[in-house]
Amino acid sequence: MFRGSVPTVLRDAPFSGLYLWLFEPLKAWLLAHGVGRDAATVAGGLVAGAVASYMTQPFDVIKTRVQVQTGSAAQSTWRILAESFQV
């Protein structure tokens, strides 16, 4: 039931931080450049969400790998993380 909870937090915390960090300045910039309030909110949310999603995508892959593991061959989040970033 809790498989994938650690990688989910590792993905969601940075995503939310990036989203909030980008959204308000983007919305303010759009408003300052004459874009309507509703359009600035939608566009700011779209761009902030896309950038945050792109930046946290590797953690989403790790979360998915942890969640689909079965049996005794299941690896820890940290092992999958280390193997994912090997060069």
Side-chain angles (χ1 to χ4, degrees):
M1 180 171 167
F2 296 105
R3 180 179 287 169
S5 58
V6 170
T8 299
V9 170
L10 290 175
R11 179 202 60 184
D12 286 353
F15 175 88
S16 297
L18 283 169
Y19 179 84
L20 292 172
W21 182 66
L22 293 169
F23 173 70
E24 288 298 331
L26 282 170
K27 185 174 91 170
W29 185 83
L30 290 167
L31 289 170
H33 285 81
V35 176
R37 185 171 184 242
D38 290 340
T41 301
V42 170
L46 179 71
V47 171
V51 170
S53 181
Y54 177 77
M55 297 298 291
T56 58
Q57 191 269 339
F59 296 107
D60 191 42
V61 171
I62 292 165
K63 175 195 68 77
T64 303
R65 287 182 182 174
V66 169
Q67 289 177 330
V68 299
Q69 292 182 77
T70 58
S72 61
Q75 296 177 325
S76 72
T77 298
W78 308 113
R79 173 164 269 156
I80 292 173
L81 184 65
E83 289 175 359
S84 296
F85 289 103
Q86 281 183 335
V87 261

